């Protein structure tokens, strides 16, 4: 089975530009999570969806960040406008609802804002 | 969300058994304990999960005492490729799954 697929793997852009990160969860998984990882703060949960509906976005740092899940097989995390402090590795994870079901992570998008 | 505490780093040698203990004193009744492994430039990879007593799979064992306030990940006969960061997480395992990653334990396996 294909795992969680994220694109792009690397993104370098100038501050002020819009950045869109993409995620395709594992087929059949109905929960999706966006994380951010930095050396200073470790892995932080930004937002998660259940059945395409955002459940908790309390981890989203500010209004410049937004996430959507238009269907069960696709999600985006958008930053507009981007700032250098947004530089991090962004991970997407998905899981099947149910007791004992773990999250499965993609390999992340390494974002650098110049 | 239950907070976890684990050693920042550990060193071991090839062929040894490694035990990494995680403290989670305020674990809730419904919380599961999950361990992940992360290599550089990769996403965290699920290793093992348990609720109580002992769980074993082809990769590791997880020991959970009766009070569930701690857990120990046991890696038998580690190799150089087991060098990674290991995260212990505690959280609800249902539709409202919220997991908080702590700082993890950086395991260095030496030849």
């Amino acid at each position: 089975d294909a795992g969680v697929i994220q694109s792009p793997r690397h993104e370098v852009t100038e501050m002020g530009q819009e950045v869109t990160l993409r995620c395709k969860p594992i087929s059949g998984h109905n929960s999706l999570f966006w994380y951010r990882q930095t050396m200073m703060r470790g892995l932080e949960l930004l937002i998660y969806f259940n059945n395409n509906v955002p459940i908790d976005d309390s981890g989203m740092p500010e209004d410049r960040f937004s996430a959507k899940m238009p269907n069960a097989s696709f999600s985006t995390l958008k930053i507009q406008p981007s700032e250098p402090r947004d530089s991090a590795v962004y991970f997407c994870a998905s899981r099947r609802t149910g007791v004992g079901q773990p999250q499965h992570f993609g390999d992340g998008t390494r974002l650098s804002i110049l | 969300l239950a907070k976890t505490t684990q050693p920042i780093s550990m060193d071991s040698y090839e062929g040894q058994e490694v035990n990494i203990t995680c403290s989670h004193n305020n674990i809730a009744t419904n919380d599961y304990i999950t361990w992940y492994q992360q290599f550089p430039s990769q996403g965290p990879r699920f290793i093992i999960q348990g609720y109580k007593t002992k769980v074993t799979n082809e990769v590791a064992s997880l020991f959970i005492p009766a009070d569930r306030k701690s857990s120990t990940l046991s890696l038998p006969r580690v190799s150089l490729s087991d060098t990674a960061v290991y995260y212990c997480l505690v959280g609800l395992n249902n539709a409202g799954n919220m997991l908080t990653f702590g700082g993890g334990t950086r395991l260095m396996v030496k030849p």
Side-chain angles (χ1 to χ4, degrees):
Chain A
D1 288 340
V4 175
I5 300 172
Q6 292 187 245
S7 64
R9 287 299 312 276
H10 304 274
E11 175 92 13
V12 180
T13 191
E14 294 184 346
M15 65 176 295
Q17 298 297 309
E18 178 180 290
V19 173
T20 299
L21 311 181
R22 297 173 175 79
C23 175
K24 176 179 170 56
I26 294 172
S27 177
H29 286 195
N30 47 8
S31 294
L32 182 140
F33 308 78
W34 282 101
Y35 290 85
R36 177 173 69 176
Q37 186 173 38
T38 62
M39 288 293 292
M40 291 297 295
R41 301 175 66 91
L43 262 165
E44 304 172 277
L45 177 64
L46 301 178
I47 184 172
Y48 81 94
F49 296 82
N50 193 44
N51 293 323
N52 312 338
V53 176
I55 301 301
D56 190 325
D57 64 355
S58 58
M60 296 285 261
E62 45 195 281
D63 292 345
R64 297 184 297 106
F65 286 70
S66 62
K68 294 182 179 180
M69 191 164 186
N71 57 63
S73 58
F74 183 66
S75 177
T76 60
L77 178 66
K78 187 173 294 186
I79 308 172
Q80 167 64 20
S82 59
E83 297 183 3
R85 59 192 169 120
D86 301 330
S87 297
V89 181
Y90 290 81
F91 290 103
C92 175
S94 70
R95 71 182 286 267
R96 194 186 308 273
T97 299
V99 173
Q101 296 296 329
Q103 293 183 18
H104 296 270
F105 286 75
D107 281 335
T109 295
R110 183 173 296 276
L111 177 64
S112 298
I113 309 297
L114 306 178
Chain B
L1 296 175
K3 180 181 177 182
T4 60
T5 303
Q6 52 184 125
I8 294 174
S9 64
M10 293 180 68
D11 289 344
S12 183
Y13 291 92
E14 282 190 292
Q16 289 188 334
E17 178 183 80
V18 171
N19 295 308
I20 306 175
T21 297
C22 178
S23 298
H24 26 81
N25 291 318
N26 59 340
I27 187 170
T29 302
N30 294 335
D31 284 346
Y32 275 67
I33 301 158
T34 310
W35 285 80
Y36 284 83
Q37 174 192 56
Q38 187 177 26
F39 298 113
S41 302
Q42 294 186 23
R45 185 174 72 98
F46 170 79
I47 301 176
I48 196 166
Q49 181 175 260
Y51 183 80
K52 62 180 179 181
T53 63
K54 177 184 175 182
V55 180
T56 298
N57 61 22
E58 64 277 7
V59 177
S61 294
L62 179 60
F63 299 91
I64 305 169
D67 65 6
R68 303 199 329 121
K69 293 184 182 300
S70 67
S71 59
T72 299
L73 174 72
S74 181
L75 305 172
R77 297 184 300 280
V78 294
S79 63
L80 297 177
S81 62
D82 292 317
T83 294
V85 179
Y86 292 82
Y87 294 96
C88 162
L89 295 93
V90 174
L92 294 174
N93 207 358
N94 54 25
N97 194 3
M98 290 286 290
L99 294 180
T100 300
F101 281 79
T105 297
R106 188 172 299 275
L107 172 66
M108 174 68 73
V109 180
K110 303 175 182 179

